[in-house]
Amino acid sequence: MRKTLLSLLSVLALASLGNLVSASPAAHRHHSPTPLAPRIVAFDHMYGVDGPFVGAANSIRGIPGDELPWAVAHFIRGRLDTDGNLKIQVRGLVFADKPSVPPELRGRNDESHFRAVVSCLTEQSETVVGMTNVTTMGFPANEAGDADIDAHVDLPNPCVAPDVFVIAGSEDKWFAVTGFEAEGF
């Protein structure tokens, strides 16, 4: 009987302690960080306009490449989520070291701003597919080709097969697009 009474008192004491903890103000705080919206696309590299993509002859999603080739000297990484939050860290987006580029431009960026474009295929009707390009405002870029793009874009619904571009601040020509080229090809 004493063991049962002692056990019952122990259970009641633990229950009371549990109620005190759950009733404390700290237990009712809901300050957890807002969860990030699901990613549509994340990337650690982009392809600099080069070869047949230079100029308007082989535009991608209606956006022509720049008239000169560009290279990614360091990296470009980014993330686009379903809420339209777009973050791109650009490091070393510069004119390529190629004979077609004037020597004074090689290895540098001559644009004061970079913009981003998100291009999505979308439904125009039950039987027709369309394309929507959404462009950000300009973000400062330095001569080394560094910029941080942090923007919100209004994505079409649905947004299918998204492509992300880094384009000039002064004209609608792309310098880099999601993709890659293996060395030696």
Side-chain angles (χ1 to χ4, degrees):
M1 175 83 172
R2 277 193 161 162
K3 261 186 168 177
T4 306
L5 185 57
L6 191 55
S7 294
L8 181 60
L9 287 174
S10 295
V11 168
L12 287 173
L14 286 173
S16 294
L17 182 59
N19 286 339
L20 285 175
V21 169
S22 67
S24 72
H28 291 289
R29 290 187 191 134
H30 297 287
H31 293 294
S32 61
T34 306
L36 294 174
R39 271 190 315 252
I40 298 173
V41 65
F43 50 91
D44 291 320
H45 189 73
M46 289 184 122
Y47 171 80
V49 64
D50 194 19
F53 295 106
V54 172
N58 293 303
S59 296
I60 300 175
R61 300 277 178 101
I63 304 170
D66 194 57
E67 296 91 7
L68 294 173
W70 285 70
V72 180
H74 300 292
F75 64 85
I76 302 177
R77 61 177 68 116
R79 177 186 200 282
L80 172 65
D81 69 27
T82 56
D83 287 341
N85 298 309
L86 176 65
K87 292 185 183 228
I88 304 174
Q89 187 180 28
V90 180
R91 295 296 179 266
L93 182 56
V94 294
F95 284 109
D97 186 9
K98 300 229 171 173
S100 61
V101 177
E104 67 275 8
L105 292 178
R106 294 178 192 166
R108 37 179 305 253
N109 161 45
D110 69 345
E111 288 282 327
S112 63
H113 290 79
F114 290 152
R115 296 177 293 156
V117 173
V118 176
S119 180
C120 301
L121 299 180
T122 193
E123 298 172 0
Q124 289 186 333
S125 71
E126 287 296 316
T127 58
V128 177
V129 173
M131 181 186 66
T132 299
N133 291 341
V134 184
T135 306
T136 69
M137 63 182 216
F139 289 85
N142 64 21
E143 189 175 304
D146 299 343
D148 291 309
I149 297 171
D150 187 356
H152 179 270
V153 293
D154 292 324
L155 296 172
N157 187 21
C159 174
V160 177
D163 280 331
V164 179
F165 298 81
V166 175
I167 69 169
S170 62
E171 56 188 348
D172 292 337
K173 295 182 179 177
W174 68 271
F175 299 154
V177 65
T178 45
F180 83 102
E181 178 179 31
E183 293 298 314
F185 286 88

